[in-house]
Amino acid sequence: MSELEQLRDTARARIAAAENADALEALRVEYLGKQGSVSALLKTLGKMTPEQRQEEGPKIQSLRAAVADAIAERKTALDNAALEQQLASETMDLSLPAPQSPRGSVHPVSQVMDELAEIFADMGFAVATGPEIEDDWHNFTALNMPESHPARAMHDTFYFPDESADGGKMLLRTHTSPVQVRTMKAQGAPVRIIAPGRVYRSDSDATHTPMFHQIEGLVIDKNIHLGHLKWTLETFLKAFFERDDIVLRLRPSYFPFTEPSVEVDVGFAIENGRRVLGGSGDAPGHAWMELLGSGMVNARVLEMSGLDPDEYQGFAFGVGVDRLAMLKYGMDDLRAFFDGDHRWLDHYGFASFDQPTLSAGVGATA
Ligand code: DAH
């Protein structure tokens, strides 16, 4: 074997055995670098005679090419091995949730509103909305509370300094009842809607916040009576609290926009310091709790909303959504609903996939 062939084989063997990129680079310098042994051989060509050069040149060139090829081949092998190792060490389960990133949750008020929409949709109710910045006429006058009506004083209204285009006062709606008027005016009769939303009153303590949530119900048709109201409320509350033993008591009351008006109480017992709805309030260990206001829509409200009270009747009800959430999910301070404290939200919030459905039970598990 010639000297060059020996050199080539040794170089190939050493290159193939190079353990890493640094070792390989050292070998490249050793053979092909400016001071390298193969480079030195190439330099000898200049001092040869043309005949010698013709014979030795191709041999030395092929030695150089063989070493360069071996280095390139080893480099590819080392690169691939490094990539394999990196991929192996960086595998991740794409189906796992990000462990440290903050996870949002659905606020109990939103969850309860979704539950209510689901329950009432099953009874044929559509969801209606109205503006939170309301005018005096829709919030009060059309609901049979003309100026100087004493019921207005009970609403602790936030008024705006500016007047509406027709000279009326503008305010933050104090209840969802103006949506009754807006819906009847916009679509006529029959009507079957719920109207969930924010309402505002200048009031603040453990059970009152300046902003809170109500849901209004309105059914207008021919021959509607209080029996329909009672059935609707019973069906709704049984579905919402997911118990069949919900017992209601209708008590005569007064609201300007209903006649007759009834206040609806629900029976409950105290279990582990919590109010648990169910059973008659007259049963031993039970009591009644006032839950919502309702009644037959006042004929004057129907008239002001553009309907003929001799042709159409209906019932309405209004209930606090926050209150429903507290009763169902056990919170005891309303103010915490609006603090945005993530510990509270982590505890009481719902997973976004927890869509309430009647088939799965509207009471999602947080
Ligand atoms: N709007 C009343 C309130 O905020 C609640 C209410 C009572 C609504 C009786 C009704 C109703 O629709 O019929 O206090």
Side-chain angles (χ1 to χ4, degrees), residues 155 174-177 180 201 214 216-217 255 257-258 293-295 316-318:
H155 279 223
T174 58
H175 51 178
T176 43
S177 302
Q180 290 186 31
R201 290 184 202 178
Q214 285 188 337
E216 194 81 11
F255 300 104
F257 30 91
T258 44
S294 61
F317 59 88

